Amino acid sequence: MTAHDKTLRHLKWLIWTYFWLLILEGALRKWIVPQLSNPLLIVRDPVVVAIYILAIRARVFPGGAWMWSLGIIGALCFGITILQLFPYISPQQIALVDLFGFRSNFLHLPLIFVMGRVLSLADVRKFGWWTLVILIPMTLLLLGQFRAAPDAFLNRTAGGEGEMMTAALGKVRTAGTFSFVLGVVAFYSLATGYIVWAFLKRGVYNGWLINVAAGALVVGAAVSGSRSVIGACAAVIASLLLVLFIRPDALNRFGAAILLLVVMAAVLSRLPVFKEGIDVLSARFNDVAEASQTTVAGDIWGRFTSSFSDGLFVIGKAPIFGYGLGIGTNAGARFLTGHATFLLSEGEWSRVFLESGPILGLAFIVWRCAIAIHLGWLSVRSLKAGNLLPLLLITSAIMPLISGQFGQPTVLGFCVFVAGLALAARNPEEISGGQTTPLPRAGRIPPPLRARSKFAVGAHNNTSDFPLNNGAADR
């Protein structure tokens, strides 16, 4: 094994370390070492820096317009923040706030492209296997938190004190191993993508694992007490409408998967805890709709659009260079005031505009929207070539890329990691020696030779998740 291959292997180990810390850092902050809750907010940052160092050494660190534009925006935001805050607060506070703001907005985003260059489809499949395995005990933990009292040990918040936010009927919004329910939203939507892919592509994982994980997903979503968990999982499933439009040959397997899920839901609906979870979710939807004096559908739509509308409202009111990078995050507020709160705005677009101003803030928002569209388009092109997995993965990362709260470390981590998996899912089964050239365009299938049958074309272009229909022979 060459030194280059060893470096790539170490890179993959660090990416796995990032994954496990993403899953477990909330448990560390709540139960194991709550006294280190604040330092553990950035426990993945040294791993990211180490990944970048090895990526540069292996010549797989991304370049091009995406990275140059992100670097310029980040450097300007960082430097201007120092100049703005210098007359008002101590240099130590400036350093802490500015550095946390920079890591929240810019530090982790290049990891998307590093993962796309380093990981193979086989690696992405291994991450999926572990995601489904973890989903089972995660759901058992959610059940325990759902059954426990709000002040129970299982329902402690980061730092080992306090209680989780309540959902309805005296139940909390269960958070699993994460510090907040947003981690459950991201993890369960990721698991949904892998489960749907496994249902539609035979032989990916063991049948028992797929079925048990699917049941765990349904039960976990029911006892989460969170509308966002339901919405995120539903969005991934809804992406199948695009699949059926572009690849109608998936219809047979899709129908079988739906039938299996209906039967599974009918069985699970008889469980008392499932019924209780549905009652809590229903009460949660109705309570919020009544509080906002609108319908349930209207409340969901209003929540979806509020981040954008609030951001557009404040863009004209923010100072030209904003109030300073990191001030709008909870950690930044803690550095300045000693208390974790939202000093500027809870909405992501509003935070970005108020921190960095209408020029640099808008540039960063446009960059995020552009990369989300770019990755979505690449996933659609992969779907046309028969690869369904990138679309199912990127669906759970599209909205966090556009308007997710990057100041919340778990949201940022899942957004970057899942987007990286989606990009890597377009790669071959194995990558030899690392991928140092731009990724090939998805959907570029060699044109069929004249006089070649449809079956022969499928045999030579065997990259599809869905086999060609060969009449009665394949039934």
Side-chain angles (χ1 to χ4, degrees):
M1 179 180 293
T2 65
H4 183 263
D5 292 334
K6 289 182 179 179
T7 302
L8 291 177
R9 185 176 64 177
H10 295 157
L11 254 175
K12 290 186 179 183
W13 288 351
L14 287 172
I15 292 173
W16 276 101
T17 302
Y18 189 98
F19 171 76
W20 285 110
L21 287 175
L22 188 58
I23 299 295
L24 298 174
E25 70 178 38
L28 296 174
R29 298 179 63 209
K30 293 190 296 185
W31 302 313
I32 301 176
V33 282
Q35 66 275 16
L36 299 178
S37 176
N38 291 334
L40 286 171
L41 279 172
I42 58 172
V43 68
R44 284 177 282 109
D45 291 8
V47 178
V48 171
V49 173
I51 289 174
Y52 294 164
I53 293 173
L54 291 185
I56 293 172
R57 183 181 300 174
R59 298 183 180 180
V60 293
F61 190 82
W66 290 111
M67 289 298 95
W68 278 107
S69 57
L70 182 68
I72 292 172
I73 297 171
L76 289 174
C77 289
F78 186 85
I80 290 175
T81 296
I82 295 176
L83 296 177
Q84 285 182 295
L85 298 182
F86 190 78
Y88 305 105
I89 60 178
S90 67
Q92 182 181 2
Q93 286 180 306
I94 294 174
L96 291 173
V97 173
D98 203 2
L99 285 172
F100 190 85
F102 183 86
R103 61 84 55 196
S104 298
N105 285 8
F106 305 104
L107 178 63
H108 290 243
L109 288 173
L111 180 61
I112 298 173
F113 302 95
V114 174
M115 292 176 63
R117 286 171 172 257
V118 171
L119 299 181
S120 66
L121 179 58
D123 296 318
V124 178
R125 188 165 58 246
K126 289 177 184 176
F127 278 112
W129 188 87
W130 277 107
T131 297
L132 299 191
V133 169
I134 296 169
L135 180 64
I136 300 170
M138 185 72 74
T139 295
L140 293 177
L141 178 56
L142 261 63
L143 282 170
Q145 292 172 332
F146 181 78
R147 285 292 194 183
D151 59 350
F153 176 80
L154 285 180
N155 289 323
R156 284 186 177 179
T157 60
E161 299 177 356
E163 302 172 5
M164 288 293 172
M165 296 180 64
T166 58
L169 305 180
K171 298 295 184 180
V172 300
R173 301 185 208 178
T174 54
T177 60
F178 307 103
S179 57
F180 192 59
V181 71
L182 291 175
V184 177
V185 175
F187 181 73
Y188 273 67
S189 62
L190 171 62
T192 301
Y194 275 116
I195 289 173
V196 172
W197 182 57
F199 270 127
L200 297 180
K201 184 175 173 64
R202 293 170 187 161
V204 178
Y205 307 118
N206 292 332
W208 69 266
L209 175 61
I210 301 170
N211 293 331
V212 174
L217 178 75
V218 175
V219 173
V223 301
S224 66
S226 170
R227 298 169 295 161
S228 298
V229 173
I230 304 299
C233 296
V236 175
I237 297 174
S239 67
L240 290 177
L241 297 175
L242 182 60
V243 175
L244 295 178
F245 177 76
I246 296 178
R247 296 294 303 230
D249 50 342
L251 183 60
N252 290 339
R253 293 189 184 181
F254 177 65
I258 290 296
L259 179 61
L260 179 60
L261 288 176
V262 169
V263 173
M264 186 178 297
V267 173
L268 293 175
S269 65
R270 297 182 177 275
L271 297 176
V273 69
F274 183 86
K275 294 180 179 179
E276 189 177 4
I278 294 299
D279 291 340
V280 171
L281 280 174
S282 299
R284 170 70 178 154
F285 275 99
N286 292 330
D287 289 347
V288 174
E290 291 177 3
S292 58
Q293 297 182 344
T294 183
T295 62
V296 173
D299 173 68
I300 295 174
W301 177 251
R303 188 179 185 188
F304 173 76
T305 59
S306 62
S307 179
F308 310 119
S309 59
D310 292 347
L312 296 176
F313 174 77
V314 305
I315 190 172
K317 297 176 171 54
I320 188 66
F321 293 119
Y323 293 105
L325 194 61
I327 289 180
T329 64
N330 279 342
R334 185 184 294 275
F335 293 140
L336 293 175
T337 67
H339 302 284
T341 184
F342 293 103
L343 291 179
L344 298 179
S345 174
E346 187 174 356
E348 179 68 357
W349 281 24
S350 300
R351 177 189 72 83
V352 172
F353 291 142
L354 290 171
E355 280 189 353
S356 302
I359 300 175
L360 292 176
L362 182 60
F364 181 54
I365 292 296
V366 169
W367 191 96
R368 287 173 58 170
C369 292
I371 194 62
I373 294 171
H374 177 68
L375 294 176
W377 175 240
L378 290 179
S379 299
V380 170
R381 294 174 66 180
S382 293
L383 175 61
K384 292 179 180 179
N387 187 0
L388 168 65
L389 183 57
L391 178 65
L392 292 172
L393 292 176
I394 199 61
T395 301
S396 64
I398 283 286
M399 288 311 300
L401 271 174
I402 293 175
S403 61
Q405 294 175 313
F406 278 10
Q408 213 286 334
T410 305
V411 174
L412 172 64
F414 268 106
C415 175
V416 167
F417 194 82
V418 177
L421 288 178
L423 189 59
R426 302 173 58 247
N427 290 336
E429 189 73 13
E430 294 294 340
I431 298 178
S432 178
Q435 191 161 345
T436 58
T437 57
L439 292 173
R441 292 184 178 180
R444 295 294 298 274
I445 303 176
L449 299 176
R450 292 185 179 181
R452 180 181 285 180
S453 68
K454 184 178 181 182
F455 179 79
V457 172
H460 284 80
N461 298 327
N462 189 23
T463 60
S464 175
D465 283 344
F466 313 119
L468 292 171
N469 188 340
N470 194 32
D474 64 350
R475 291 183 171 84

